[in-house]
Amino acid sequence: MAKQEDLFKNVISHAKEYGFIFPSSEIYDGLSAVYDYAQNGVELKKNIRDYWWKSMVQMHENIVGLDASILMHPTTWKASGHVDAFNDPLIDNKDSKKRYRADVLIEDYAEKLNQKAEKEIEKASVRFGESFNRAEYETTNPRVMEYLSKRNSILARMGKSLGDGDLADVKALIEELEIADPETGSKNWTEVKQFNLMFGTKLGASAESAMDLYLRPETAQGIFVNFLNVQKSGRMKIPFGIAQTGKAFRNEIVARQFIFRMREFEQMEMQFFVKPGEEMKWYEYWKSTRLNWHLSLGLGEKNYRFHDHDKLAHYANAAADIEFNFPFGFKELEGIHSRTDFDLKAHEEFSGKKLQYFDTEENKNYTPYVVETSVGLDRMFLSVFATSLKEEALEDGSTRTVLKLPSVLAPTKAAILPLVKKDGLPDIAKQIMADLKWDFNMAYDEKDAVGRRYRRQDALGTPFCITVDHQTIEDQTVTIRHRDTMKQDRVAIADLRDIIENEVSMKSWLMKANK
Ligand code: ATP
């Protein structure tokens, strides 16, 4: 655990030192759970957003984009259920005065049981080798069965209590399991209370006429209220989707995990409108399509898992998370929800406007069902950044810090380095840069010894370093160094564009998602 904590601290300090992420308004000591993306972070974040947008919008003829505003008519949030039900259960520890989410305390407890089961399974798989049958072991080994059944019954009971609004039972469960304050070990808990996560604000100049508004806690509602506008103006036929990326705001109870849980964050959401009765087919389709998108980045299949929800939100008839193995364990990265016709029906009711689709094949009107995919851009950033950060021991006994980002997402694709600052080498290097920057985000660096410049680009995640030396003057070739292998090749300047393009193009990476 200590090792994991160190790793996470490294991630945070690397993000700051190399210009990826800074605490917000740091000169005033920061603002809790709010962060700024710096010169390299903003590029990485943009590339993740583009990678998502391309796969969702550009590659699907029946999905279009939208950019709805953050401020919406306040009735939106009444209709969506957020005013009444967008709550998290909070609990305070009376001794430490620390505040926690009651459901997260229980989920963390359940996860420990899961890890115990996993440990047993792993030991057995080493013992039995190739003949090991995981599914059989999970259903026959008494110890594993006990861990898993205890975990399942805890999660089921919590799901039911939260669903029924029985907060006393959530507290009872915490006491029965003897869950202690993770920081102090105290078991002296208050009652569990509900806490609404929406940020309020006001519209209007005078106090009397000002209107109470909310900063949107999710981007999805901007899509629902525009459903008919987009369908009609785009002549969309069901099934079709509307995709959007943008800021969302939640007054999170506990936000101590860097950009994993922020109070201002960005979502990438897609609402897919389908014929009622076909939602489960599309739910399964989007579960596997979205997982494949994540896998295409090559961060390792073992780092992802599905978690089917026991505790369904008020709008859903099926829901699963894609969880990622963050530096602090498996946690939600993306949600895939079958939201039924809850939202469109609610907006019809509250607005008095029809939000139905006329199906020309069936010759009738209906309210479509919705399958949603919703991924946090900042959580994506953390998953990619933390997994890519490596300390490598080199053959000469030294170590290097390298950010092995999927090259398609790297902020800078190549750095141009003149070997020395004289003999005309900087001019040639700048000319190469001027040609390549039409196609790629490039960096130019002539300071320090070339070895140090390589290390600096490694730490920034730049896939290629291109070095201009005296031979370049004679034969128009340069060396190109590959970040991950540190291998250097001598290539013609004229071939650089194709070499880089081959490695970093979204097409070649996204094609892995369509396998
Ligand atoms: P959690 O259970 O972790 O609070 P959630 O189930 O409330 O998340 P959703 O409402 O399904 O999250 O939001 C969709 C996605 O938005 C999440 O999968 C996550 O990636 C992202 N997200 C949600 N809340 C935050 C936050 N406070 N900071 C950063 N990303 C967030």
Side-chain angles (χ1 to χ4, degrees), residues 101 250 252 260-262 265 267 332-333 374 376 379:
R101 258 175 68 177
R250 296 183 188 178
E252 296 281 358
F260 178 81
R261 192 175 297 288
M262 301 157 91
F265 58 101
Q267 291 186 311
E332 171 175 346
L333 172 62
S374 174
R379 282 193 195 175

